[in-house]
Amino acid sequence: MRLLAGIAVLLLAACTTSPPTPRTEPVPARQAAVPPVLAYATSTAIRVVHGSATIAEVDLTADEYVTDAEWTPDAARLLVATSTRLFSVDTTSGEMATARCECDSIAVVGAKVYAIGGYSATEMARYDLATLRPDGTVRPDLGGARGLLSVDGAGERLVQFRIVADGARPISDVVVFDPATGATTTVGNTGDIGSPSDSAYTPRGWRDAPVYAYIATGTTSAWTGTATVVWFDPTSPAPQVVTTDRQLRAESPDVRDAAWSSARSDLWWAADGTIRTTAHTWKCESGAPLSRPTCTDLLPRQQWRYDGVDWTRTDDRDLATVRDLANGTSVELDRDGRLFLVDGERKPLASEVERLWTPALPSAPVEPGSQAMAERFAPEVWLHGDEANFPADASEFVRRSTLRFDHGAPCGDPELVAAPPDEAKLGSGEHTHPAARLDSRDCPHRDDVVYRSDVVVKEGGGKGFILDLDDDDARDGNKPVDGVVTAPVYWEYWPGDRPGRGVYVYWFFYAYNDFNNKHEADWERVGVQVDGDRATGVAFSKHNVPACQVVWDRLDTHEGRPVVLSAKGSHASYAFEGDFSRTDGQQLGTDSTRRQIRWATWTDVRDLRTQPWYGYRGWWGDMGLISYNSGILGPYPKRDMSALLSTSPCTEQVSRVPKDWVGTWKAERVQDPMGAQDPRAVDYSAEITIRQGGFGEAVGTASYPGLGCTGSLKLERSTQEAIVLRETREPDPADRSERCRTAGHTTITATPTGLSYRFVPDRRPGPITADLVRG
């Protein structure tokens, strides 16, 4: 992690006194190869420690100060530059190399260290990482820039801030430089966002890709300033992303924008692949002319987390920084420079700490799932015979669309970005658009901000990027041939609470949704839940209601695959054939499913992560006047699919009896403890015959040997877990006991061994219950 010395420090003359001999103190063998490791500096020393054990220590001379520090990506070494020396510390053994260097900024790339020695440097000194032996200089083609403000390492590449304009605060281009080839990519400009003040790199961020981030600190007037975090992938030509401070700003809603100020410091990467930083805010307001402003704190220092979309506060204690390490430990640095190690208890570690460095925590790799398992459980999907809009290829939809950008009212109609868009650029964020129209004062804009197609748009009130289908004929999708649909299905794996347990998510794409809410593009999904190599259930997610599960044993299957039915027009997925009432509370209507047109999805199962458009965070489909008639969001990296791990049972209202309940069921003994049927009839049996039928129809009969009555069963309500029947009983002509006296409601539910029967008579005590098994 880079530590910036301010511009004034960059201009100070370097001290040339002879360095003292560094001290090393070996760490105990049992701890040597085990993280966590951290380093800190006081005004007199630099220490690299493992927990509370010192690995290496360097005394600083009276006129020596730290200018920069950077970890190798694997944290095996820490490089520290002072005004006179450069140190390379092996964080396991404590062995150290040192070299004389008036280094203002350093960067680690591969097995080399790059350093610049002052403001507007035009070349970089190069050293061997382990020995710090000089290895020549590198003079990059600056492309018209005055020189280098600072450099940082980002994996196999360098990030260079190249000065393009001087002033009270220099403005620089942000350039990714490949030392192996000399190739450069400009990803942004510091413009009015401010000068870089702290930075951090991780090889695996929230996008499962490398991410470099830096804090930009600037001023908005003589008394106000802002700090924001900027990030980009150094392996991609996509432009940098300037994050917003709206969540921080919302904490002080009554302060005028002109008086509000923010600051950020201590940038680092956590193990979940998120950026962490300390932030605080204050306000300054002017009084009498020529008098100094009155400044007061608004928010004390707090810890914030950024996951690629939003900032979230994680700790509101007034601390300089809080950092997770590993193995459940963390460190806390308070405002007085006291450093504490937290490992079950809070232990003092050091005092008068001025700088703290912790490496980026290794982001735990996510279980990827397998193509073989995805193909094994790819569902058999059945569509309604009256379906007009069939499954489609998402790539074909992209190729037949125009990419536009919607700023929202009053900024005008969506503006053209690409026609057609490039799939790879769409997914990587290389399709971009300026933050807002510069000719409209009513539209929010910042000259330095561009929107990327792989980042969700949160500002400006508009929708952001839109894929607008140009060809209405493409709405039909892949029409069936000989009664069979062929179209790709897209899969991803979402891990559960332990290794091996998770859900294979299958995404179905349709080019058009033709229900009450008509709109272009329709992404539907189901999740096959697995435990090891065994499927345990299928989760269904539809119509903005919570996901629900149908356990594997209750599903129709085909050769070990779940059978899924797609509703006509809406394409909502169900486990059974029937008519289902909409339950989203927003639209009236009924979803109808029929087993009439077959889609064997396993013939074209595509890994979602390998699709070139994957990463796109805009809207699929054109925008309508209301949201119900507008496009939708599709799958993208880190879209939360944990809801498909749900074990909450599906309880949709259906119009028919579950087909696997049809048949004859018997109970050897009916439980009637309160004599609800007849006080003299407390021990009798039952035989229930169920047949298929819909609401209001007779769907079965009942007979009760030993009671002397029969019953007729009419369907009143039905879900996949229970049916409610109106039972009307009459004397059995073959039984002269005449103990049949009442009617009532019978509820039948599924059990692990069969069905459960529960009869509640009208105007009599109850209930009467029985366990039914196949007759």
Side-chain angles (χ1 to χ4, degrees):
M1 181 178 67
R2 178 178 178 272
L3 172 70
L4 176 82
I7 298 301
V9 174
L10 289 173
L11 297 174
L12 288 175
C15 179
T16 58
T17 56
S18 298
T21 302
R23 298 200 309 264
T24 61
E25 182 178 330
V27 70
R30 64 181 180 86
Q31 296 179 334
V34 180
V37 64
L38 68 147
Y40 61 88
T42 68
S43 61
T44 60
I46 302 168
R47 294 185 183 89
V48 181
V49 300
H50 175 280
S52 57
T54 300
I55 297 173
E57 182 174 348
V58 177
D59 287 335
L60 299 175
T61 61
D63 51 1
E64 187 179 18
Y65 52 88
V66 175
T67 60
D68 204 357
E70 188 167 312
W71 299 93
T72 56
D74 60 2
R77 284 189 175 272
L78 174 69
L79 278 295
V80 181
T82 73
S83 51
T84 60
R85 293 179 288 173
L86 179 62
F87 302 98
S88 177
V89 183
D90 184 314
T91 59
T92 298
S93 67
E95 294 179 357
M96 187 186 314
T98 183
R100 294 187 62 83
C101 179
E102 298 178 5
C103 305
D104 284 326
S105 182
I106 60 173
V108 176
V109 175
K112 303 297 180 182
V113 182
Y114 296 81
I116 61 174
Y119 179 80
S120 195
T122 58
E123 65 180 21
M124 300 179 293
R126 186 170 57 196
Y127 302 85
D128 178 78
L129 174 65
T131 65
L132 293 185
R133 293 191 182 97
D135 188 26
T137 59
V138 177
R139 296 182 61 90
D141 180 359
L142 296 177
R146 282 200 50 190
L148 299 175
L149 177 65
S150 61
V151 294
D152 275 317
E156 295 301 315
R157 294 166 176 81
L158 277 164
V159 176
Q160 298 176 335
F161 292 87
R162 298 182 174 184
I163 303 167
V164 294
D166 285 310
R169 175 175 55 78
I171 295 175
S172 57
D173 282 340
V174 186
V175 178
V176 178
F177 175 76
D178 186 342
T181 64
T184 61
T185 303
T186 300
V187 296
N189 182 273
T190 59
D192 62 2
I193 59 175
S195 296
S197 60
D198 197 4
S199 63
Y201 167 78
T202 180
R204 188 186 181 97
W206 56 79
R207 296 150 50 91
D208 292 330
V211 186
Y212 172 88
Y214 68 94
I215 295 174
T217 301
T219 58
T220 53
S221 73
W223 301 326
T224 58
T226 58
T228 189
V229 174
V230 186
W231 64 266
F232 57 88
D233 179 350
T235 67
S236 166
Q240 65 183 12
V241 177
V242 181
T243 70
T244 176
D245 262 347
R246 73 181 184 281
Q247 293 93 339
L248 194 61
R249 181 68 180 86
E251 300 283 346
S252 308
D254 298 328
V255 178
R256 296 180 299 108
D257 288 345
W260 181 81
S261 296
S262 67
R264 291 188 181 273
S265 62
D266 295 282
L267 197 69
W268 60 283
W269 285 96
D272 58 2
T274 62
I275 295 172
R276 306 298 179 93
T277 187
T278 304
H280 71 280
T281 66
W282 72 95
K283 67 176 180 178
C284 293
E285 296 183 298
S286 60
L290 303 180
S291 65
R292 295 179 62 85
T294 301
C295 297
T296 56
D297 286 341
L298 296 174
L299 292 176
R301 284 165 176 77
Q302 299 173 334
Q303 307 304 309
W304 289 76
R305 170 185 182 271
Y306 179 76
D307 61 0
V309 178
D310 283 321
W311 284 102
T312 306
R313 184 168 50 203
T314 60
D315 194 324
D316 58 7
R317 292 176 295 168
D318 188 11
L319 296 171
T321 185
V322 177
R323 314 225 183 153
D324 294 332
L325 297 176
N327 303 330
T329 62
S330 62
V331 287
E332 299 174 355
L333 180 64
D334 70 14
R335 297 279 301 278
D336 295 323
R338 293 175 299 184
L339 185 63
F340 297 88
L341 179 67
V342 182
D343 185 7
E345 58 180 316
R346 197 167 186 252
K347 307 169 186 175
L349 189 61
S351 60
E352 299 182 353
V353 173
E354 298 178 352
R355 302 286 188 268
L356 175 66
W357 303 286
T358 56
L361 292 181
S363 181
V366 177
E367 283 187 79
S370 74
Q371 180 71 25
M373 286 278 281
E375 292 176 359
R376 173 183 170 187
F377 292 121
E380 180 183 67
V381 179
W382 287 89
L383 296 103
H384 199 287
D386 295 332
E387 181 61 67
N389 305 107
F390 295 96
D393 186 328
S395 292
E396 183 66 19
F397 185 93
V398 173
R399 288 190 288 269
R400 301 175 76 168
S401 296
T402 294
L403 183 65
R404 303 183 186 277
F405 192 94
D406 175 25
H407 288 291
C411 300
D413 294 331
E415 298 176 353
L416 176 66
V417 178
D422 181 281
E423 285 187 85
K425 290 183 177 180
L426 195 69
S428 66
E430 294 177 59
H431 276 310
T432 64
H433 196 266
R437 286 183 164 187
L438 301 182
D439 60 353
S440 174
R441 65 179 183 177
D442 295 323
C443 295
H445 70 274
R446 291 174 63 178
D447 293 342
D448 54 286
V449 176
V450 294
Y451 291 125
R452 294 174 19 164
S453 54
D454 66 338
V455 178
V456 64
V457 174
K458 291 283 188 177
E459 302 298 318
K463 289 291 187 179
F465 290 95
I466 297 167
L467 277 172
D468 181 6
L469 184 64
D470 293 330
D471 186 358
D472 288 351
D473 290 340
R475 293 178 172 181
D476 295 345
N478 293 12
K479 295 180 181 179
V481 177
D482 296 330
V484 177
V485 169
T486 55
V489 66
Y490 305 94
W491 73 273
E492 64 177 315
Y493 179 76
W494 195 267
D497 57 356
R498 61 174 173 78
R501 180 177 292 171
V503 58
Y504 281 85
V505 182
Y506 295 91
W507 290 89
F508 311 135
F509 180 72
Y510 302 83
Y512 194 73
N513 183 92
D514 190 16
F515 194 65
N516 294 339
N517 57 331
K518 301 179 186 296
H519 58 80
E520 290 179 349
D522 192 17
W523 281 103
E524 301 290 342
R525 59 190 179 271
V526 299
V528 176
Q529 299 167 343
V530 297
D531 190 353
D533 61 356
R534 179 177 62 92
T536 58
V538 173
F540 295 84
S541 178
K542 50 189 171 289
H543 300 321
N544 299 316
V545 296
C548 63
Q549 179 207 52
V550 178
V551 297
W552 194 258
D553 292 342
R554 291 276 290 126
L555 285 162
D556 285 345
T557 59
H558 171 75
E559 297 179 349
R561 309 175 186 279
V563 172
V564 173
L565 292 101
S566 175
K568 179 173 73 71
S570 75
H571 307 127
S573 299
Y574 292 88
F576 304 97
E577 185 176 12
D579 298 316
F580 301 83
S581 299
R582 291 290 294 264
T583 58
D584 58 359
Q586 297 176 339
Q587 299 180 69
L588 299 176
T590 300
D591 279 333
S592 295
T593 63
R594 299 291 185 271
R595 294 181 66 150
Q596 292 171 324
I597 300 174
R598 185 170 180 256
W599 178 19
T601 66
W602 56 91
T603 62
D604 192 352
V605 184
R606 302 182 185 179
D607 186 340
L608 186 64
R609 297 160 299 185
T610 66
Q611 303 310 301
W613 47 260
Y614 182 59
Y616 174 59
R617 292 294 303 271
W619 299 87
W620 294 72
D622 195 13
M623 293 293 105
L625 295 177
I626 59 176
S627 61
Y628 298 147
N629 298 121
S630 297
I632 62 171
L633 297 175
Y636 49 78
K638 300 294 186 180
R639 181 169 180 178
D640 187 1
M641 290 291 106
S642 60
L644 293 181
L645 294 165
S646 172
T647 57
S648 176
C650 294
T651 58
E652 295 100 351
Q653 290 286 325
V654 295
S655 65
R656 303 184 68 78
V657 172
K659 69 174 186 178
D660 52 347
W661 293 9
V662 173
T664 299
W665 302 81
K666 293 183 178 181
E668 293 183 0
R669 186 171 184 273
V670 174
Q671 304 293 324
D672 187 4
M674 301 181 68
Q677 182 59 55
D678 188 292
R680 296 166 296 170
V682 294
D683 189 7
Y684 54 92
S685 60
E687 182 173 302
I688 310 294
T689 299
I690 300 174
R691 60 178 178 268
Q692 191 55 265
F695 290 142
E697 297 178 354
V699 295
T701 59
S703 63
Y704 302 95
L707 182 61
C709 66
T710 61
S712 62
L713 307 174
K714 182 183 292 186
L715 183 64
E716 288 198 346
R717 296 192 303 277
S718 176
T719 70
Q720 295 304 331
E721 301 302 320
I723 58 175
V724 178
L725 309 163
R726 178 64 180 174
E727 182 171 348
T728 303
R729 294 184 174 182
E730 297 178 353
D732 184 351
D735 191 325
R736 312 293 295 182
S737 59
E738 297 184 0
R739 294 175 178 171
C740 185
R741 296 185 177 180
T742 190
H745 284 90
T746 296
T747 301
I748 295 179
T749 58
T751 69
T753 58
L755 299 177
S756 172
Y757 168 94
R758 176 185 172 90
F759 174 69
V760 178
D762 295 341
R763 298 183 297 277
R764 299 282 293 179
I768 301 170
T769 61
D771 292 325
L772 303 175
V773 296
R774 285 283 184 185

